[in-house]
Amino acid sequence: MLITIEEIFDEFEELDPRDQSQFLLELGYDLPRFAPEEQRESDLVHGCQSQVWLTARAADNDSNPVIELRADSDAEVVRGLITVLLASYSGKTASEILRLSIGDVFARLRLNQYISPQRQNGLQGMVDRIREIARRHAPCAAYTDPSPVQVPLRPTAVLLTAAEFDPLDVRRQFPVLNQTLDDGLTPVFLDSGASAQKPQVVIDKEREVEEQYYANAYRGRYRFGARIDEELENARQKIATFISAESPQQIAFTSGATATINAVAFGWGRSHVGEGDEILITEMEHHANFVPWQQLALQQKATLRFIPMTVDGRLDLNRLDEVLTKKTKVLAVCGMSNVLGTVNPVRELAARAHAVGAIIVVDGAQSVPHQVTDVVSDDVDFLIFSGHKLYGPTGVGILYGKTGRLAETEPILFGGHMIDRVYRDHSTWAAPPARFEAGTLPIVQAIGLGAAVDWVSEIDVTWIHEHEQQLLRSATEQLQRIPGLTIFGPSVDHKGAIISFRIDDVHPEDLAIMLDRRAVLTRHGHHCAMPLHELLAVSGTTRASFAAYNTEDDVTALVSAIEYGLDELRRRR
Ligand code: PLP
């Protein structure tokens, strides 16, 4: 007679986490083992890191039979988890099995401490197999699927509440902005569009990982490995919540936006875009969301088309039907332009794309840090962004995909961690997100990004948006008063906190050097958007981009540094 689930609950409640882990192992030792001849290939459950065999017996002639389950594994700890599953499911009728929420059982046992995402996939595989058996025997009735194998997460620290938000308080949290430079100046950082600065909590989190429990992820059963896995899954959950994704399993860690767009363009595109098909993008795309689609089109003999733009730098939706047709397989668009600041109407574009059977891929590198993102309401198929523009570390990016879209996307990087089974002549892939996480992850960075998302969420992205829009309005008004200065892009109502401009007789690089003399740090050039600059008929622009830590003083500093720079440059001619 196996232990019951109530007995397991009682034992667990009495034990501290280390002893719970030992208890789980002991449960494994007590589970009856399969004889070698019972370990049949046909009874193997796929998706498990270890070997798991599962068999079921149900009375044939009953319309809702009791189902007796047996299972075994070659790993003792898995045998412990199997015991929990059998105690929950075995000896129940088919309809009782279908009604049971195993996620609640796992939540009550706080099993996240022992379950890596790969193991979670394996467990999900076992649960799916058991439910499939029950479904075959259940009376005809519609059962909603209870929550899948999901585990509770470590609570996160509260940092600031929205009511306490004050630009100066925010700025104080960024060490790099609070230093005195060699020339006695304090930096005025206006290049967050390229990469944002990090608050102390993100720096501290990265340091905590390095100093206290660093280990590789999803590999080790020792305490550092388990803690890293837990921290990573915490970060994954935070990021999912931040963009309103339905599940953390829809979030893959990558090395950045560029790598992610390539993963979608080639992982999804190669099998879904063919000769004669069309890919629709815009002329305002960063090269990261331009070149991969251009190359996919060349490889697949598809056509790359562009949504026409209005003269003020918005997408001309009145002319969208000219280019969005039944031939369009994918519409790839930025949420916000990194040059013009234009905020694109993602929800409307998604609806129009879906209406012709196309998918929408959103490059959120610029939009995600500045506005609320809701992938479900917007109905986007894929969303991509980078950690380093969201106050997080470099070297980590995010791939979000609808569950079905991720499932139909092939990996483009192959190796460790992303596999289900490797045979001598072929391999099968792990379920998403592991499928897109080949090799060692950017572990510290991904955990740091989780801390950055906490920070942004605590301040509240709506506050950040409103604050930045105020700075944008103020800067726009003041810059427009400078003779000969042209701002590119739409009016403030249609854009985010980026201003790209040019002054008639001044090269953007010369101006950027002058601004740097006043410690006003801006970017110049084509900002990785050559086709757009060709359209604007300029070789480059000067760009000031704002973030949560900028203040009205920074706007004043920018304007006065431009006036100083213009005087200096014109005086010497
Ligand atoms: N997309 C946009 C709109 C960007 O602004 C950038 C970077 O500036 C990228 C993509 C590429 O991001 P990463 O360099 O982090 O891959």
Side-chain angles (χ1 to χ4, degrees):
M1 176 67 188
L2 273 179
I3 188 166
T4 67
I5 195 66
E6 288 306 326
E7 286 165 341
I8 296 177
F9 285 150
D10 289 348
E11 289 281 352
F12 252 68
E13 261 155 37
E14 311 239 308
L15 300 173
D16 69 28
R18 185 87 36 84
D19 293 337
Q20 286 174 346
S21 175
Q22 182 58 31
F23 175 63
L24 209 58
L25 270 177
E26 276 162 20
L27 283 180
Y29 296 141
D30 291 344
L31 182 73
R33 289 168 204 276
F34 278 25
E37 65 276 13
E38 290 179 297
Q39 297 174 352
R40 291 184 202 96
E41 179 82 21
S42 57
D43 291 329
L44 272 175
V45 178
H46 287 285
C48 300
Q49 274 175 311
S50 12
Q51 309 234 72
V52 172
W53 301 270
L54 178 86
T55 63
R57 198 160 47 83
D60 268 352
N61 46 5
D62 196 331
S63 71
N64 185 22
V66 168
I67 298 177
E68 300 293 343
L69 298 163
R70 288 181 65 224
D72 190 11
S73 170
D74 55 352
E76 297 303 329
V77 67
V78 175
R79 289 164 47 79
L81 293 170
I82 287 174
T83 307
V84 175
L85 284 186
L86 297 189
S88 306
Y89 284 123
S90 187
K92 297 223 159 63
T93 63
S95 52
E96 279 171 338
I97 288 177
L98 289 173
R99 271 197 295 271
L100 184 102
S101 168
I102 198 69
D104 292 348
V105 174
F106 283 15
R108 189 157 164 198
L109 296 173
R110 297 191 60 248
L111 279 180
N112 59 320
Q113 301 162 73
Y114 320 109
I115 305 176
S116 68
Q118 268 197 345
R119 184 134 286 151
Q120 199 157 312
N121 279 339
L123 267 169
Q124 189 67 57
M126 285 189 251
V127 170
D128 290 347
R129 172 79 76 94
I130 294 168
R131 290 174 55 78
E132 179 49 38
I133 293 164
R135 213 171 274 120
R136 283 206 301 272
H137 293 282
C140 302
Y143 294 102
T144 53
D145 275 4
S147 58
V149 178
Q150 285 274 324
V151 285
L153 297 160
R154 195 180 275 262
T156 54
V158 174
L159 305 167
L160 267 178
T161 65
E164 288 163 333
F165 175 70
D166 167 352
L168 288 176
D169 268 352
V170 171
R171 190 190 183 90
R172 270 183 223 111
Q173 298 178 48
F174 288 79
V176 73
L177 303 177
N178 290 296
Q179 59 177 319
T180 303
L181 301 167
D182 291 347
D183 47 12
L185 298 169
T186 308
V188 174
F189 191 74
L190 295 175
D191 195 21
S192 307
S195 209
Q197 299 297 345
K198 293 170 206 49
Q200 188 68 51
V201 281
V202 171
I203 298 166
D204 288 348
K205 187 70 193 182
E206 288 192 83
R207 203 182 164 122
E208 172 193 299
V209 180
E210 299 283 19
E211 289 184 351
Q212 296 181 25
Y213 47 86
Y214 176 76
N216 210 328
Y218 310 136
R219 312 278 199 274
R221 293 298 307 144
Y222 50 89
R223 65 197 73 185
F224 285 6
R227 176 73 188 269
I228 283 288
D229 294 358
E230 186 189 348
E231 292 282 344
L232 273 172
E233 290 320 296
N234 254 330
R236 202 189 293 278
Q237 174 68 66
K238 287 171 194 174
I239 291 157
T241 306
F242 183 62
I243 61 168
S244 295
E246 285 157 337
S247 156
Q249 303 306 310
Q250 295 171 318
I251 305 294
F253 292 115
T254 64
S255 64
T258 304
T260 318
I261 296 170
N262 277 275
V264 174
F266 295 99
W268 187 88
R270 271 200 204 117
S271 48
H272 292 83
V273 179
E275 192 166 349
D277 290 338
E278 294 183 355
I279 299 167
L280 186 57
I281 64 169
T282 83
E283 281 152 318
M284 68 174 82
E285 298 311 313
H286 186 284
H287 295 160
N289 198 35
F290 193 120
V291 185
W293 300 111
Q294 176 195 65
Q295 294 304 304
L296 178 73
L298 290 171
Q299 286 181 16
Q300 302 298 104
K301 298 193 171 59
T303 305
L304 188 65
R305 301 194 73 183
F306 300 88
I307 303 179
M309 273 167 50
T310 60
V311 281
D312 66 344
R314 286 189 286 154
L315 297 180
D316 190 347
L317 296 192
N318 292 328
R319 297 181 55 199
L320 188 58
D321 288 342
E322 292 171 21
V323 286
L324 180 66
T325 69
K326 291 255 180 271
K327 288 186 180 170
T328 313
K329 291 291 169 260
V330 51
L331 163 57
V333 65
C334 57
M336 174 172 150
S337 156
N338 68 315
V339 178
L340 305 173
T342 312
V343 173
N344 288 320
V346 166
R347 196 172 299 180
E348 182 175 352
L349 289 168
R352 304 262 307 256
H354 293 148
V356 297
I359 67 156
I360 183 163
V361 178
V362 176
D363 170 4
Q366 294 293 341
S367 55
V368 169
H370 302 288
Q371 61 188 47
V372 173
T373 304
D374 185 332
V375 286
V376 174
S377 304
D378 285 349
D379 200 17
V380 305
D381 294 279
F382 292 103
L383 173 80
I384 286 127
F385 58 98
S386 281
H388 66 97
K389 296 187 204 277
L390 187 61
Y391 310 99
T394 50
V396 60
I398 295 298
L399 166 63
Y400 156 83
K402 285 182 180 169
T403 303
R405 294 292 172 222
L406 291 176
E408 65 192 26
T409 303
E410 287 291 310
I412 63 163
L413 280 182
F414 305 96
H417 184 64
M418 53 74 67
I419 49 83
D420 170 26
R421 294 294 292 248
V422 176
Y423 303 91
R424 287 173 72 95
D425 58 349
H426 75 286
S427 300
T428 55
W429 311 141
R435 178 185 303 180
F436 307 108
E437 295 181 342
T440 295
L441 281 179
I443 297 164
V444 183
Q445 293 87 336
I447 295 171
L449 179 56
V453 164
D454 263 350
W455 184 84
V456 172
S457 308
E458 291 298 335
I459 287 187
D460 186 354
V461 83
T462 309
W463 275 87
I464 293 176
H465 177 75
E466 282 166 12
H467 170 61
E468 291 174 350
Q469 291 304 110
Q470 179 51 41
L471 296 177
L472 180 66
R473 268 190 292 276
S474 166
T476 304
E477 267 169 38
Q478 295 181 55
L479 290 180
Q480 276 169 340
R481 287 194 215 118
I482 297 175
L485 187 148
T486 305
I487 295 177
F488 296 94
S491 66
V492 170
D493 293 343
H494 299 287
K495 68 188 278 193
I498 283 179
I499 304 184
S500 293
F501 60 93
R502 209 177 151 112
I503 298 168
D504 280 349
D505 55 336
V506 174
H507 192 280
E509 186 168 1
D510 294 339
L511 183 63
I513 292 168
M514 287 297 148
L515 299 184
D516 180 63
R517 283 201 195 164
R518 290 290 174 96
V520 172
L521 313 180
T522 58
R523 171 99 182 260
H524 70 276
H526 56 62
H527 315 297
C528 298
M530 276 184 179
L532 175 63
H533 279 77
E534 221 162 87
L535 203 70
L536 300 175
V538 290
S539 60
T541 51
T542 304
R543 183 181 75 179
S545 49
F546 298 91
Y549 40 68
N550 290 118
T551 62
E552 255 329 304
D553 284 350
D554 293 346
V555 174
T556 309
L558 169 67
V559 174
S560 93
I562 293 175
E563 284 164 352
Y564 156 80
L566 290 180
D567 277 355
E568 286 288 299
L569 290 167
R570 287 175 180 155
R571 196 160 49 81
R572 284 156 194 258
R573 281 196 184 133

